[in-house]
Each structure stands twice: as structure tokens, then as C-alpha cells.
Amino acid sequence: MSNYRFDRLKILVVDDNAHMRKLVVTILQAFGVIQIFEAESGDRAWHILRESNPDVILLDWVMEGMSGLDLIQMIRTNPQTPNPFVPVIMLTGHTSLDHVARARDAGVNEFIAKPVSVKTVMSRLVAVIEHPRPYVRTQGYFGPCRRRRGVEEYRGPERRSESPKQQAAE
Amino acid sequence: MKRQQPIELFMPPNMLKAKVGGGLGGMDMAAMKRAESAMDGLKSQFGDWIAGDVKALIEARAAYAKSADANTRGALLRRAHDIKGQAPTFDFPLIARVAGSLARMIGELPPTTALPLSLIDAHVNAIQVIHKQNLKDTNDKIAQALCAELDARVDDVVKAATK
């Protein structure tokens, strides 16, 4: 049985809907989190982030002005970010594979598909605590490794780099 | 697709685990029980919360009807998308379904195609009726028929605009 000291965490909740923020904050407080920061926009979140350097961010995707994806890209790549490795859990009503891929490409660590439930919030928090992902830096991406498993680099032939015709000829 | 090279892969120190401990880890059942109780305490407010979201949707619809541009269209989409995501959390799954249909229509129609106000209104009116009558049963036959009809009309409009 776990006995996490959630009271030691600083969590930033970013959502432009006050009701959703209240719901998420209520869940986190019941978990024992004391230091919770709230932001109603990406701009406000960026300001708080730089001041308070949270341990985890729960972030809505669709917001007026700076979207959740824009904010993640700033967190991962802006030189003024206090912690480019901070785990980001994205709250989203978008559940299509295409949207999930876009969020992964922006540097999201975990997802909470709405509707929000206590169990899902707990499981994603546990995931970022117990199963942190390795980070990857390439020319066009910096963020959590987008593969669930397989930290070890693949050593086999680069079949996908070949054209379909070449593959068909083999 | 060829891999981007070079790739730098590294594992930052797990500062979170060091901070919160938790032994072998896993779900903290006691904390979850407290949170479920706290959620139950909020449920009496869900009706008012969704009423606020519906009001915001009606205002966004009025703004779009007055001046149909990218800003008002984007605001309408955000309101519909918000309700789609939030209504199930607030125990209004039928409202979520109708809002999802509206969000799909706005999202899938090309930005150059004007949104059909009559179909927007059909969605907004349906959401208002479901809210006023406090309909929550997803098996309700009338509600199911209404949702299916809205879905079909959205399909038609999107197909006509994108063919």
C-alpha cells in the first residue's frame, strides 16, 4: 500500500473553465496536496510557472488565447522555463488517435480523457511518480520519449527508411 | 519515414519520487476515498455549473449570429467543446453528446464554409431542453432519437461541404 506524501507536491492546474478547475483542485486537495496554483489561461500559467516552479502540471488543451499545446511547447523549449522536464498531464475532451499523437508530439507525459474521475487523476499522478519517461532531444523535438516502452535503441535494420518498392523487392 | 538523427535519450533523476516517497507505490486508496467524498459534496452544484456553461454557449451562438468571423466561430467551438468534455463529469451525458455533435460540425466544416445557424440552434435548443428537463438517462428513447437526428444532419452538412 502506498503512502505518498502528496502534501510535499506543488501542482499547477490550468483550465479556462472555473468549474473544471474547482473540480480538479477539490480532488487534489482530498489527495492531500496543499500547494495548488490555479491559472485560467496559458499566459497566466506561464507567469505562475516561472514564479513557483511546480512539480506537476495539469493542463487543459482547449483554451482561449494560448492553447495547452502552445504552453507545453514553451515549457519544453523556452530558455526561460524553470524546468523543461516537469511532468505535464493533459486534460482533454479530444480522444482521437490524431489528437493524442499531436499532444504527444508537443511533449505531454500523460492524458486524462474527460470526464474527469478520481481514479484517473490518481492513476496519472502515480504514473508520473512511478514510471517517468526518458526524455528525447532531436533536431525537431524535445520532451518525453513518445514510446511507451523500448528505452533501448532498436538495433535491427532500418526498414522504414527504405522505399516501399525496395521493401517489396526484398 | 527516416528517423531524425542524432537522437539524445536520457533519463532525468526522479525528483518526484524522491519528494513524495510512497514505498512500492500504487494507488493510494485512502486518498481516493477522501476524494470521492469530496466529489460527492460538489455534485449538488453540478446543475448550476452546467447551467453556466449552457448560458455561455447561448452567448457564443448570439455573437456568431451577429458577426460570423473566425473569432466568434472559434469561441462557439470552444464553448461546445468545453461542454462536450465537462458535461459527463457533471452527470449530464446527453448534453455532452449533443455538444459533441455541435463541436464536430464546427470542427469539420471548412473554415470558409459558413456554419448553418438553423443547425446550431437545433443543437443549442436540444441542450437547453435536456438541461431544463434534467434528462440524464442515455437510454431515453426520445433523447436517443434526437441525438441520432442531429448526428445525421451534421453528417449531411459536412459531406455536402467537403465533397
Side-chain angles (χ1 to χ4, degrees):
Chain A
M1 185 179 153
S2 65
N3 51 347
Y4 291 116
R5 293 292 307 270
F6 287 126
D7 57 309
R8 293 177 176 167
L9 284 182
K10 280 191 286 186
I11 299 186
L12 171 61
V13 179
V14 189
D15 198 314
D16 59 354
N17 186 288
H19 300 143
M20 282 307 289
R21 285 203 310 276
K22 184 169 182 183
L23 187 89
V24 173
V25 166
T26 299
I27 292 172
L28 293 174
Q29 284 173 334
F31 286 171
V33 184
I34 296 167
Q35 297 184 79
I36 303 172
F37 304 91
E38 293 183 52
E40 73 288 350
S41 68
D43 288 321
R44 179 77 187 131
W46 178 244
H47 179 75
I48 293 173
L49 182 81
R50 291 176 60 199
E51 277 190 344
S52 61
N53 192 15
D55 301 303
V56 179
I57 299 173
L58 273 81
L59 173 63
D60 186 29
W61 180 323
V62 178
M63 294 186 292
E64 193 170 359
M66 188 193 296
S67 73
L69 289 192
D70 296 335
L71 180 62
I72 295 170
Q73 279 165 348
M74 281 183 77
I75 292 167
R76 299 288 181 234
T77 59
N78 191 300
Q80 293 180 323
T81 189
N83 178 10
F85 305 111
V86 63
V88 175
I89 301 170
M90 177 155 270
L91 296 157
T92 178
H94 291 307
T95 50
S96 70
L97 284 177
D98 174 51
H99 281 99
V100 171
R102 279 178 60 200
R104 285 250 182 276
D105 288 348
V108 168
N109 296 72
E110 297 290 338
F111 290 91
I112 294 177
K114 293 176 182 176
V116 175
S117 72
V118 167
K119 188 178 174 185
T120 321
V121 176
M122 173 63 80
S123 74
R124 299 307 185 272
L125 263 184
V126 170
V128 296
I129 293 166
E130 299 292 341
H131 310 291
R133 295 174 183 220
Y135 275 69
V136 175
R137 189 191 307 277
T138 69
Q139 199 172 11
Y141 174 76
F142 172 73
C145 182
R146 289 169 283 191
R147 294 176 181 177
R148 269 279 166 200
R149 292 176 296 170
V151 175
E152 305 81 16
E153 189 62 15
Y154 175 62
R155 303 289 180 194
E158 291 280 1
R159 296 172 66 95
R160 289 184 190 176
S161 65
E162 296 159 0
S163 71
K165 278 184 184 173
Q166 280 176 298
Q167 286 184 28
E170 284 177 1
Chain B
M1 191 174 134
K2 196 165 185 173
R3 291 182 185 190
Q4 289 177 316
Q5 295 288 348
I7 296 173
E8 187 188 346
L9 186 66
F10 52 98
M11 178 64 88
N14 190 347
M15 302 306 289
L16 268 187
K17 181 69 177 170
K19 204 166 187 178
V20 301
L24 295 175
M27 308 280 261
D28 186 331
M29 302 311 285
M32 284 175 63
K33 204 170 175 182
R34 287 195 305 272
E36 292 288 1
S37 296
M39 281 272 277
D40 287 343
L42 287 180
K43 278 184 179 169
S44 63
Q45 299 175 51
F46 284 177
D48 291 338
W49 289 5
I50 202 74
D53 290 331
V54 173
K55 184 168 174 270
L57 178 70
I58 293 167
E59 287 167 0
R61 180 263 171 220
Y64 180 78
K66 191 175 176 185
S67 170
D69 56 34
N71 284 336
T72 54
R73 185 179 177 130
L76 187 61
L77 175 58
R78 279 194 300 279
R79 294 286 81 82
H81 184 82
D82 271 359
I83 294 178
K84 175 195 159 197
Q86 285 155 198
T89 308
F90 301 159
D91 289 340
F92 283 93
L94 287 169
I95 288 182
R97 173 139 184 226
V98 177
S101 171
L102 177 57
R104 181 168 73 89
M105 179 178 78
I106 303 169
E108 291 185 7
L109 280 177
T112 49
T113 302
L115 302 175
L117 265 182
S118 60
L119 196 45
I120 293 173
D121 288 344
H123 284 84
V124 173
N125 293 338
I127 287 171
Q128 283 182 286
V129 168
I130 293 167
H131 178 241
K132 277 180 186 163
Q133 297 193 3
N134 204 28
L135 293 176
K136 295 182 177 182
D137 181 6
T138 50
N139 294 318
D140 184 283
K141 297 283 181 209
I142 296 172
Q144 281 184 340
L146 176 65
C147 292
E149 175 63 21
L150 290 172
D151 283 343
R153 288 180 62 188
V154 167
D155 284 343
D156 291 344
V157 166
V158 170
K159 269 183 203 159
T162 55
K163 72 179 177 185

